[in-house]
Amino acid sequence: MFGTLLLVFVVVPIVELIALIRLSQVFGLSVTAAIVLATGVLGAALARAEGLRTLRVMHREIGAGRVPGRQILDGVSVLVGGAMLLTPGLITDGVGLALLFPPTRVALQALAWRWLDRQLRSGALLVGVLRWDIGYPRSRHGAGGVGTGPEQGRLDSRHEIRVPPPEEQR
């Protein structure tokens, strides 16, 4: 976790800064500033258009009685992509654009699903479960007869589920 935070908040901004400095050395400061500004404006417009399109498809799916799972994933991808485009930098702009265009968004989502599947199969995935009856004093026992009333307190590691690898599931 620390390595991921270090990468996101230290390494990526440093690499972005180096790329912007190199770009301004080649093309000049005004061209670099125009590129950063244009990607921000383009990204906001594209994120809005894709977000509205995703909402329309989501409403259509709900209206047809289907769960809009793909559209929820698309909505999250568009939100993250738009945020990355509003962040100054070339790398974040590239990833943001990739998350906003449907063909590349689908490819990145497929990569994310494969990663999640590997985590699930290796048993490295932990799923936290929120108890459904916290705060209801009459409900002393939840699913499986486990005490879940307010006296149980906040969710802790005892309520995590370890998903075993397939060979242990047999």
Side-chain angles (χ1 to χ4, degrees), residues 127-131 134 152-161:
V127 179
V129 178
L130 296 176
R131 298 184 315 252
I134 290 178
Q152 294 294 318
R154 302 184 64 79
L155 186 65
D156 61 20
S157 62
R158 293 176 296 171
H159 301 295
E160 289 180 350
I161 298 172

Side-chain angles (χ1 to χ4, degrees), residues 73-142:
L73 188 57
D74 282 345
V76 170
S77 298
V78 167
L79 180 67
V80 171
M84 292 184 101
L85 276 167
L86 293 174
T87 304
L90 301 174
I91 298 167
T92 53
D93 287 350
V95 174
L97 283 171
L99 286 169
L100 290 181
F101 288 120
T104 51
R105 178 172 59 230
V106 169
L108 289 173
Q109 289 171 350
L111 285 172
W113 279 116
R114 280 197 295 274
W115 178 83
L116 280 171
D117 186 52
R118 278 194 314 270
Q119 296 299 308
L120 179 66
R121 291 184 188 280
S122 72
L125 183 64
L126 291 177
V127 179
V129 178
L130 296 176
R131 298 184 315 252
W132 57 272
D133 60 350
I134 290 178
Y136 294 97
R138 284 178 275 139
S139 181
R140 307 276 302 174
H141 298 285

Side-chain angles (χ1 to χ4, degrees), residues 47-59:
R48 182 176 187 274
E50 279 297 306
L52 289 173
R53 186 190 66 75
T54 301
L55 276 175
R56 279 193 303 274
V57 175
M58 187 182 299
H59 284 138

Side-chain angles (χ1 to χ4, degrees), residues 118-124 162-170:
R118 278 194 314 270
Q119 296 299 308
L120 179 66
R121 291 184 188 280
S122 72
R162 180 183 172 277
V163 179
E167 58 273 4
E168 290 179 22
Q169 292 179 4
R170 294 186 178 102

